[in-house]
Short mmCIF file of all heavy atoms in Angstrom, two decimals:
data_model
loop_
_atom_site.label_atom_id
_atom_site.label_comp_id
_atom_site.label_asym_id
_atom_site.label_seq_id
_atom_site.Cartn_x
_atom_site.Cartn_y
_atom_site.Cartn_z
N PRO A 63 92.76 208.44 77.93
CA PRO A 63 93.89 208.20 77.01
C PRO A 63 94.36 209.54 76.43
O PRO A 63 93.62 210.52 76.41
CB PRO A 63 93.28 207.33 75.88
CG PRO A 63 91.98 206.84 76.39
CD PRO A 63 91.55 207.74 77.50
N HIS A 64 95.61 209.57 76.00
CA HIS A 64 96.24 210.82 75.55
C HIS A 64 95.51 211.42 74.36
O HIS A 64 95.37 212.63 74.26
CB HIS A 64 97.71 210.58 75.20
CG HIS A 64 98.42 211.80 74.77
ND1 HIS A 64 98.65 212.88 75.59
CD2 HIS A 64 98.90 212.16 73.54
CE1 HIS A 64 99.25 213.83 74.92
NE2 HIS A 64 99.43 213.42 73.67
N ASP A 65 95.03 210.59 73.42
CA ASP A 65 94.44 211.12 72.18
C ASP A 65 92.91 211.26 72.27
O ASP A 65 92.26 211.48 71.26
CB ASP A 65 94.81 210.21 71.01
CG ASP A 65 94.37 208.77 71.24
OD1 ASP A 65 94.10 208.42 72.39
OD2 ASP A 65 94.32 208.02 70.24
N CYS A 66 92.35 211.17 73.45
CA CYS A 66 90.88 211.26 73.63
C CYS A 66 90.43 212.70 73.57
O CYS A 66 91.06 213.59 74.12
CB CYS A 66 90.50 210.63 74.94
SG CYS A 66 88.75 210.59 75.22
N VAL A 67 89.29 212.96 72.91
CA VAL A 67 88.70 214.30 72.84
C VAL A 67 87.50 214.34 73.77
O VAL A 67 86.60 213.51 73.68
CB VAL A 67 88.27 214.63 71.39
CG1 VAL A 67 87.59 215.99 71.34
CG2 VAL A 67 89.45 214.56 70.47
N HIS A 68 87.47 215.33 74.69
CA HIS A 68 86.36 215.46 75.62
C HIS A 68 86.14 216.95 75.91
O HIS A 68 86.81 217.82 75.34
CB HIS A 68 86.57 214.67 76.89
CG HIS A 68 87.95 214.82 77.48
ND1 HIS A 68 88.30 215.86 78.29
CD2 HIS A 68 89.04 214.04 77.33
CE1 HIS A 68 89.55 215.71 78.64
NE2 HIS A 68 90.03 214.63 78.07
N TYR A 69 85.20 217.28 76.77
CA TYR A 69 84.79 218.66 77.01
C TYR A 69 85.95 219.55 77.47
O TYR A 69 86.05 220.70 77.09
CB TYR A 69 83.67 218.75 78.06
CG TYR A 69 82.32 218.43 77.53
CD1 TYR A 69 81.71 217.24 77.84
CD2 TYR A 69 81.68 219.33 76.72
CE1 TYR A 69 80.44 216.94 77.37
CE2 TYR A 69 80.42 219.04 76.23
CZ TYR A 69 79.81 217.85 76.56
OH TYR A 69 78.59 217.56 76.06
N SER A 70 86.83 219.03 78.30
CA SER A 70 87.89 219.89 78.85
C SER A 70 89.16 219.88 78.01
O SER A 70 90.12 220.54 78.38
CB SER A 70 88.20 219.43 80.30
OG SER A 70 88.62 218.11 80.29
N SER A 71 89.19 219.15 76.92
CA SER A 71 90.38 219.19 76.09
C SER A 71 90.34 220.38 75.14
O SER A 71 89.28 220.73 74.60
CB SER A 71 90.50 217.90 75.26
OG SER A 71 89.53 217.84 74.29
N ILE A 72 91.46 221.01 74.96
CA ILE A 72 91.53 222.19 74.09
C ILE A 72 91.68 221.73 72.63
O ILE A 72 91.10 222.29 71.74
CB ILE A 72 92.68 223.09 74.49
CG1 ILE A 72 92.41 223.66 75.87
CG2 ILE A 72 92.90 224.21 73.50
CD1 ILE A 72 93.56 224.43 76.46
N ASP A 73 92.50 220.75 72.41
CA ASP A 73 92.76 220.28 71.06
C ASP A 73 91.59 219.47 70.53
O ASP A 73 91.07 218.62 71.20
CB ASP A 73 94.02 219.42 71.03
CG ASP A 73 95.24 220.18 71.51
OD1 ASP A 73 95.30 221.39 71.25
OD2 ASP A 73 96.11 219.55 72.14
N ALA A 74 91.19 219.80 69.34
CA ALA A 74 90.12 219.06 68.66
C ALA A 74 90.64 218.63 67.31
O ALA A 74 91.58 219.20 66.78
CB ALA A 74 88.90 219.97 68.50
N PRO A 75 90.03 217.61 66.75
CA PRO A 75 90.49 217.18 65.41
C PRO A 75 90.24 218.28 64.39
O PRO A 75 89.32 219.10 64.56
CB PRO A 75 89.63 215.93 65.13
CG PRO A 75 88.55 215.95 66.10
CD PRO A 75 88.97 216.78 67.26
N PRO A 76 91.05 218.35 63.37
CA PRO A 76 90.90 219.42 62.37
C PRO A 76 89.61 219.28 61.62
O PRO A 76 89.08 218.19 61.38
CB PRO A 76 92.09 219.22 61.45
CG PRO A 76 92.48 217.81 61.62
CD PRO A 76 92.14 217.42 63.03
N ALA A 77 89.03 220.43 61.22
CA ALA A 77 87.80 220.44 60.45
C ALA A 77 88.12 220.11 59.00
O ALA A 77 89.15 220.46 58.48
CB ALA A 77 87.14 221.81 60.55
N PHE A 78 87.19 219.42 58.34
CA PHE A 78 87.38 219.05 56.95
C PHE A 78 86.91 220.16 56.01
O PHE A 78 87.31 220.22 54.86
CB PHE A 78 86.65 217.75 56.64
CG PHE A 78 87.23 216.58 57.33
CD1 PHE A 78 86.53 215.93 58.34
CD2 PHE A 78 88.50 216.12 57.02
CE1 PHE A 78 87.10 214.84 58.99
CE2 PHE A 78 89.05 215.04 57.66
CZ PHE A 78 88.36 214.40 58.66
N THR A 79 86.05 221.04 56.49
CA THR A 79 85.55 222.11 55.67
C THR A 79 86.42 223.34 55.86
O THR A 79 86.91 223.60 56.96
CB THR A 79 84.10 222.51 56.05
OG1 THR A 79 84.10 222.86 57.42
CG2 THR A 79 83.15 221.34 55.81
N PRO A 80 86.64 224.14 54.81
CA PRO A 80 87.46 225.34 54.98
C PRO A 80 86.73 226.38 55.83
O PRO A 80 85.51 226.43 55.86
CB PRO A 80 87.65 225.82 53.54
CG PRO A 80 86.56 225.21 52.79
CD PRO A 80 86.21 223.91 53.44
N ALA A 81 87.51 227.21 56.51
CA ALA A 81 86.94 228.25 57.37
C ALA A 81 86.22 229.29 56.51
O ALA A 81 86.69 229.64 55.42
CB ALA A 81 88.03 228.91 58.18
#
Side-chain angles (χ1 to χ4, degrees):
H64 181 66
D65 57 343
C66 183
V67 177
H68 46 83
Y69 281 107
S70 58
S71 70
I72 294 173
D73 300 326
F78 293 112
T79 58

